[in-house]
Amino acid sequence: EAVFAAVSVNGSPVRSEDGFATWQASIQVSRGISELTVSTEDERGNQDAAAFVQPLRVQTVLGRPVAVEHDSVRNRLLLLERNRVVTVALDTGELGVLSSNSFPTDDAPLVEAADLVIDARRNRALVLSRSPDVVAVDLDTGMRSIVLDGLFFFVDSISIDPANDRAFIVESDLWVLDLATGEYSEIEVSGCPVRDPAYFADGRLFSVTNSLVVAIDPETGICSEFAALRNVRELVLDPTNNRLVAASLGDDLFTIDLATRAIEPVTELPNRVNDLAWNEQTGEAIALGSLTLTSVETTTGAQSEILSAEPDASPSSIVFDDPNDRALFLDARNRRLAQLDTAGRVSVLSER
């Protein structure tokens, strides 16, 4: 029986305190497919450069996203979780991490993040966080930097006015942020309270209060009733048809014509909508549910699933199912067997 004098994994020496009967190694792996290669050398100097080779796939698992935006330049969605920004490739459905509190650095961490928008002119996403208040995330590198800090107790939503290079931020009051200079000021709103959500479209900021959609003139702060719609939760602009798309507190989707204010039902979604985005390339609304991402054609109501996931997973053991290109893991906390596919989606195979 061979007695090992040295063992390495991917070229890095391992640590052992019992003559390599057992050992451990810490190596860095990147997302995607790679290999673990164990090399050995015995006491006589005999070497085996590939004593053991194991393919390895590192995947992102979806957590609990609270907001969604469409990154049209890269044909992907940005999903905001409480402390990271996740990407969804619309052509493959593959998940990735753009930025987290440990990647690419630990600078400007996201704490209880609530909303995000894309500032296309500066190739960044702006994220509302409990502290710092507003964090910029580079859309290529994921690097984070602080835009605002120490101004708010807790911010609710952010909406962008690209024509005037500014963003509107809703806390208990309404604030405007100059995206070029970083200067900010409060807008005194009269006529109604400002609440989340708030969405800028057609030169006005639309918000929701007491089952009313209201319109706020950002120059004067005057707020007026725009449309009556029960339990509205989220808004997004359909620029092609000059209308708002609205989600109710339940799972219903409506459109509100910006010219006539006419309200039309669109469809009923699989579960409650947490956020809406607009896909400029397909001309469809993206509805973020608690466990689903759904694309909706807002004229016909036709739906197509982008992503479905089981985020509440607590793996206690895992095994690779190579023939079916998946990983199987035991979710002990929820007493079920689940699978992780190549796109990073988790689904339940069997549960008690």
Side-chain angles (χ1 to χ4, degrees):
E1 183 177 349
V3 177
F4 294 120
V7 176
S8 63
V9 178
N10 290 7
S12 299
V14 306
R15 299 184 300 275
S16 178
E17 296 179 354
D18 55 9
F20 299 103
T22 61
W23 48 267
Q24 59 180 339
S26 177
I27 61 171
Q28 186 173 8
V29 294
S30 58
R31 293 179 181 87
I33 299 174
S34 58
E35 284 188 343
L36 291 179
T37 301
V38 178
S39 304
T40 61
E41 181 179 350
D42 65 21
E43 58 186 357
R44 297 178 180 178
N46 299 314
Q47 298 180 348
D48 188 341
F52 176 79
V53 178
Q54 172 65 55
L56 179 68
R57 176 181 283 112
V58 179
Q59 293 290 154
T60 301
V61 178
L62 189 63
R64 289 193 174 275
V66 296
V68 59
E69 275 291 310
H70 178 237
D71 181 358
S72 59
V73 173
R74 298 160 184 81
N75 192 32
R76 66 184 182 182
L77 298 178
L78 302 183
L79 296 181
L80 178 66
E81 297 178 0
R82 291 303 185 184
N83 59 5
R84 66 176 184 170
V85 180
V86 175
T87 60
V88 182
L90 286 174
D91 53 352
T92 65
E94 184 175 355
L95 296 173
V97 175
L98 174 63
S99 189
S100 72
N101 288 350
S102 59
F103 176 81
T105 72
D106 58 2
D107 295 334
L110 304 178
V111 180
E112 296 183 32
D115 200 9
L116 84 163
V117 292
I118 290 179
D119 178 9
R121 185 176 299 184
R122 293 167 185 81
N123 192 45
R124 64 183 183 175
L126 297 177
V127 178
L128 294 186
S129 174
R130 191 173 184 89
S131 176
D133 297 336
V134 182
V135 176
V137 180
D138 187 282
L139 292 175
D140 289 325
T141 66
M143 294 292 292
R144 297 180 306 280
S145 57
I146 297 174
V147 178
L148 280 179
D149 192 20
L151 180 62
F152 308 113
F153 174 71
F154 188 73
V155 282
D156 294 320
S157 68
I158 184 169
S159 184
I160 201 165
D161 174 10
N164 293 294
D165 204 21
R166 60 185 177 176
F168 297 98
I169 299 170
V170 175
E171 191 197 24
S172 55
D173 301 304
L174 179 62
W175 298 77
V176 60
L177 170 66
D178 187 308
L179 296 176
T181 66
E183 297 178 351
Y184 58 88
S185 59
E186 184 179 358
I187 299 176
E188 293 187 9
V189 178
S190 60
C192 63
V194 183
R195 295 181 179 171
D196 176 41
Y199 193 86
F200 184 82
D202 195 35
R204 294 168 285 183
L205 190 71
F206 292 91
S207 184
V208 176
T209 177
N210 298 328
S211 295
L212 292 176
V213 178
V214 298
I216 302 168
D217 185 325
E219 311 309 326
T220 65
I222 296 175
C223 177
S224 58
E225 179 181 337
F226 184 75
L229 187 58
R230 186 178 179 84
N231 294 329
V232 179
R233 182 176 175 85
E234 297 295 339
L235 298 169
V236 74
L237 175 67
D238 171 357
T240 304
N241 296 294
N242 193 39
R243 61 189 180 184
L244 292 172
V245 180
S248 72
L249 185 61
D251 49 14
D252 297 315
L253 217 58
F254 301 87
T255 58
I256 309 173
D257 191 286
L258 288 174
T260 67
R261 307 190 185 190
I263 300 173
E264 298 290 340
V266 176
T267 189
E268 182 178 343
L269 290 162
N271 48 50
R272 192 178 78 170
V273 178
N274 294 324
D275 196 19
L276 289 171
W278 187 257
N279 188 329
E280 299 173 11
Q281 295 174 334
T282 64
E284 295 180 338
I286 305 294
L288 172 65
S290 56
L291 296 176
T292 59
L293 270 172
T294 306
S295 183
V296 181
E297 208 292 322
T298 56
T299 300
T300 66
Q303 303 179 29
S304 57
E305 184 182 276
I306 299 173
L307 188 66
S308 179
E310 282 278 349
D312 256 349
S314 179
S316 58
S317 61
I318 189 167
V319 64
F320 292 97
D321 179 8
D322 291 329
N324 295 298
D325 206 19
R326 63 182 179 177
L328 305 179
F329 65 86
L330 179 64
D331 183 1
R333 183 178 65 187
N334 297 302
R335 298 184 179 183
R336 59 190 181 182
L337 178 66
Q339 70 172 2
L340 174 66
D341 67 20
T342 56
R345 293 184 291 258
V346 176
S347 56
V348 176
L349 296 176
S350 179
E351 59 184 331
R352 184 174 176 180

